[in-house]
Amino acid sequence: QLQVVESGGGLVQPGGSLRLSCTASGFTLDLYSIAWFRQAPGKEREGVSCISAMGTSTNYVDSVKGRFTISRDNAKNTVYLEMNSLKPEDTGVYYCAAERVWVELMCRMVDHDMNYWGQGTLVTVSS
């Protein structure tokens, strides 16, 4: 079965840190650009960060720049999202999504172009 699975969510206090992981099974992740999306309660899903297939390109939504870092270890078939200085507005369900690519280009956070989605992991930032 071809899928991506997120892990690492949980409850953290404001200012704290979490590291999310996105692991692929059934396919080779190095052929895919990966994006993280999140959906806060009552809000639309938004792109948070992305990384190209070989890791040469990354991008972040303005609200997380300087606080979140995306990285990947293709040998482990895993992409990470390191989240620091977390704020209550970072609360939401975080989804990992994979987009098949054939050349190494800038990554994108276009949800309707994603080929695989994970089930999501809940991040709650609260005191």
Side-chain angles (χ1 to χ4, degrees):
Q1 185 176 1
L2 307 179
Q3 60 179 355
V4 291
V5 178
E6 306 94 337
S7 61
L11 173 63
V12 63
Q13 292 186 343
S17 298
L18 283 175
R19 187 176 80 158
L20 305 184
S21 297
C22 170
T23 301
S25 62
F27 64 98
T28 303
L29 203 56
D30 60 4
L31 299 177
Y32 292 79
S33 174
I34 301 297
W36 286 95
F37 294 82
R38 68 184 177 190
Q39 187 164 23
K43 294 187 177 181
E44 292 189 356
R45 187 168 60 196
E46 66 169 345
V48 176
S49 182
C50 65
I51 187 167
S52 60
M54 293 294 105
T56 59
S57 166
T58 60
N59 198 9
Y60 301 89
V61 67
D62 285 346
S63 60
V64 308
K65 284 181 180 177
R67 301 188 297 120
F68 290 13
T69 302
I70 192 169
S71 62
R72 65 191 299 154
D73 185 342
N74 286 343
K76 295 183 178 180
N77 234 21
T78 300
V79 171
Y80 305 98
L81 185 67
E82 186 76 35
M83 306 187 296
N84 298 314
S85 303
L86 282 162
K87 304 175 181 180
E89 51 264 42
D90 294 317
T91 294
V93 178
Y94 283 69
Y95 299 91
C96 165
E99 178 186 6
R100 181 70 165 90
V101 295
W102 281 264
V103 294
E104 179 71 354
L105 295 173
M106 290 181 63
C107 63
R108 306 186 304 160
M109 294 180 275
V110 180
D111 54 6
H112 61 262
D113 284 341
M114 298 296 155
N115 302 105
Y116 301 105
W117 288 85
Q119 82 289 348
T121 186
L122 177 63
V123 172
T124 304
V125 184
S126 175
S127 55

